[in-house]
Amino acid sequence: MPYYLYKIGTLNILTKMGENADFKAARVEANELRKALTPGEKARIIFAANELAAEELLSTPRELDHTLAGDDY
């Protein structure tokens, strides 16, 4: 499975910027991309079976684990 590099723009618009089989090379690409980002944009590396799965993972909001925050519910 490859590592996909995405730019996440304002309004959470995903733009695929590349893919790489090697994590270290993908990390270097992501760091170079981060230097050129404007405020409000992010760069993310995601490990997924294909582009569709990568975009689905990046688009799905994460649920907070309240036990890690130390709050009693």
Side-chain angles (χ1 to χ4, degrees):
M1 288 195 304
Y3 294 91
Y4 292 95
L5 175 61
Y6 277 88
K7 177 174 75 172
I8 304 172
T10 55
L11 303 176
N12 291 327
I13 296 173
L14 299 173
T15 305
K16 181 184 169 196
M17 301 303 289
E19 68 181 83
N20 204 309
D22 179 53
F23 176 74
K24 289 181 181 181
R27 186 177 62 194
V28 169
E29 287 182 46
N31 287 335
E32 290 299 316
L33 175 62
R34 287 182 180 113
K35 292 176 185 176
L37 294 177
T38 60
E41 294 180 327
K42 297 182 274 186
R44 295 276 313 269
I45 299 171
I46 189 87
F47 186 66
N50 55 48
E51 282 183 54
L52 182 62
E55 291 182 11
E56 185 175 325
L57 287 168
L58 288 171
S59 299
T60 305
R62 295 185 189 179
E63 290 186 30
L64 293 177
D65 185 355
H66 296 290
T67 59
L68 297 177
D71 295 332
D72 293 329
Y73 287 91

